[in-house]
Amino acid sequence: MANFAISNTAISANNILTLSLQPTNPISAASYLRINPSILRLTYLYNNYNQGTQPSQNPTTDGTLLIGNLTGTGTASSPGYLVLNNFTLTNPPYGNKPVTVTFTTANLVGNTHYLIDSSSVSITATPSTITSGGISVTNTSLNAITTYNIWFITVNTLVVSSFIIVSFPSTISLVGSTCSLANINSLCTVTNATAINIVLNTVVSGNTNISITISSVTNPVTTTPTSSISIVTYYNDIDSVVDMLTTGLIVTATPVQLKAATLTSSSYLVGQTSTYTLAINMTNTLPSNSALTITIPPTSFPLSTVTLNAFYIGTTLISGCAMTQSAPMVLKLASSCFTTASTYIKLVVNSLSNPLSTKPSDSWQIQTAYNGYEM
């Protein structure tokens, strides 16, 4: 019965349409057309109504549009068409969730409505992409418990009982966290270890800056950049998506100092070739498949070809671990050496010549990494 298509699927966008209807059955001058949009807003402006007399129109309080005084046309075998130009359809205030538009022709005889034909189409708006948003972290240190401040600017209007879900990657923990919004009447709840839910107690118009503070957040345990935090606003249920932001809110934790490191030698004689033992206590757990780089200061130690004697994770000797040396005195252990996670590792190397004087040496540099990022 009804035939039309919308060109602009944006939330709350207006579409100026030519509505063409072909009733299955003929209509009379006493017939009327009811367009029931549920939540859509409809307006009909008369322009070149093709059946002659200008119809009457009556938008009702629930959004239903009644068009009456239709000129009779056609026969039972050839019902004819109704064409309404300048028919304005305003999309629903949310996306993803289809809204049904029903077109019904009927006759009013006395006080009784007699249905003639009915047909329906579905309209689905497209959620908007949030283009302005950001995040700041009070303390970016690896595994620190800190405060996150997230902000974004809405695109479309939200109503009372609309809600916002902010989802975090699994590498960030919200266990023990609390959240709140600045200057907006709402209820913010941490729903699980990686998500918060915000229910609005007031209307929030488009182009409103929403600022969310989440306290006692645990940073990632590695310095690998996280996937993005996502923000999705909903109109009245989980299917009615309004605005969304799924990229750009990335957290990168920063490295921390080692808890402790000790260096001992089998001999402290000047110029003596010795075996050195380096024991490292981590501030945070070093994941499996990590990497270790040690730089021996060439300003203090003569150039030597150093070999790996042993490598331990905790108290476990890791067999088959290989070490490479690059100029001038940089030692590297590959990720294959780190078979398990640990907070303690020990490295024993042979054939390193002691400094050529009793002057204290410069410090060795120790760098741990995971996924190519310094820990």
Side-chain angles (χ1 to χ4, degrees):
M1 176 175 143
N3 178 28
F4 70 92
I6 62 173
S7 59
N8 186 348
T9 62
I11 288 172
S12 299
N14 288 329
N15 289 275
I16 309 299
L17 308 173
T18 295
L19 180 62
S20 174
L21 302 101
Q22 183 179 25
T24 303
N25 299 292
I27 58 175
S28 69
S31 300
Y32 65 88
L33 171 68
R34 177 188 293 271
I35 306 174
N36 189 341
S38 298
I39 200 168
L40 294 166
R41 292 187 296 277
L42 302 172
T43 303
Y44 165 60
L45 301 177
Y46 172 76
N47 181 17
N48 297 328
Y49 179 66
N50 77 329
Q51 300 301 331
T53 306
Q54 176 177 350
S56 63
Q57 52 181 315
N58 179 28
T60 62
T61 56
D62 65 357
T64 297
L65 181 63
L66 299 179
I67 301 176
N69 298 331
L70 300 179
T71 302
T73 179
T75 65
S77 60
S78 180
Y81 279 89
L82 295 175
V83 178
L84 304 178
N85 293 322
N86 288 340
F87 178 81
T88 301
L89 181 148
T90 302
N91 291 343
Y94 52 75
N96 279 12
K97 182 179 178 181
V99 173
T100 299
V101 184
T102 301
F103 302 87
T104 304
T105 55
N107 283 340
L108 177 60
V109 180
N111 293 320
T112 304
H113 299 271
Y114 294 95
L115 177 67
I116 302 175
D117 294 323
S118 182
S119 180
S120 298
V121 295
S122 292
I123 301 297
T124 304
T126 303
S128 298
T129 299
I130 297 169
T131 58
S132 295
I135 181 172
S136 63
V137 179
T138 303
N139 180 359
T140 60
S141 295
L142 188 93
N143 205 35
I145 297 176
T146 185
T147 298
Y148 283 27
N149 292 287
I150 298 172
W151 66 272
F152 69 97
I153 296 177
T154 59
V155 180
N156 297 289
T157 297
L158 300 171
V159 297
V160 174
S161 296
S162 291
F163 57 97
I164 304 165
I165 295 179
V166 183
S167 301
F168 292 75
S170 60
T171 50
I172 298 172
S173 175
L174 302 182
V175 174
S177 298
T178 59
C179 60
S180 62
L181 268 67
N183 302 323
I184 294 179
N185 187 358
S186 60
L187 176 63
C188 188
T189 306
V190 178
T191 54
N192 57 52
T194 57
I196 65 174
N197 184 76
I198 302 159
V199 179
L200 299 177
N201 297 323
T202 186
V203 174
V204 174
S205 61
N207 201 35
T208 297
N209 191 326
I210 294 181
S211 179
I212 310 165
T213 299
I214 310 108
S215 302
S216 301
V217 182
T218 302
N219 281 343
V221 296
T222 74
T223 54
T224 304
T226 68
S227 56
S228 181
I229 297 168
S230 70
I231 301 171
V232 182
T233 66
Y234 299 87
Y235 196 77
N236 55 14
D237 60 35
I238 200 67
D239 297 318
S240 56
V241 178
V242 180
D243 300 336
M244 57 197 310
L245 176 60
T246 58
T247 61
L249 299 182
I250 294 171
V251 175
T252 303
T254 52
V256 296
Q257 291 291 321
L258 297 172
K259 187 174 183 179
T262 58
L263 181 66
T264 57
S265 175
S266 62
S267 170
Y268 293 94
L269 293 177
V270 170
Q272 181 74 40
T273 299
S274 302
T275 296
Y276 277 77
T277 300
L278 176 63
I280 304 170
N281 285 283
M282 310 292 173
T283 302
N284 298 294
T285 300
L286 190 65
S288 58
N289 297 314
S290 295
L292 175 67
T293 300
I294 299 168
T295 302
I296 302 172
T299 53
S300 302
F301 291 83
L303 183 62
S304 306
T305 300
V306 182
T307 58
L308 179 65
N309 177 292
F311 178 67
Y312 296 84
I313 296 179
T315 58
T316 303
L317 175 64
I318 306 301
S319 60
C321 180
M323 182 182 74
T324 60
Q325 179 178 347
S326 58
M329 296 277 278
V330 178
L331 312 179
K332 293 184 178 182
L333 270 69
S335 59
S336 57
C337 297
F338 294 84
T339 56
T340 61
S342 179
T343 58
Y344 175 83
I345 58 176
K346 183 170 70 174
L347 179 76
V348 181
V349 294
N350 296 331
S351 306
L352 178 59
S353 297
N354 288 341
L356 300 179
S357 75
T358 56
K359 178 184 176 181
S361 73
D362 295 331
S363 294
W364 289 30
Q365 296 180 8
I366 304 167
Q367 183 186 74
T368 57
Y370 179 73
N371 281 342
Y373 296 94
E374 184 182 357
M375 289 281 288

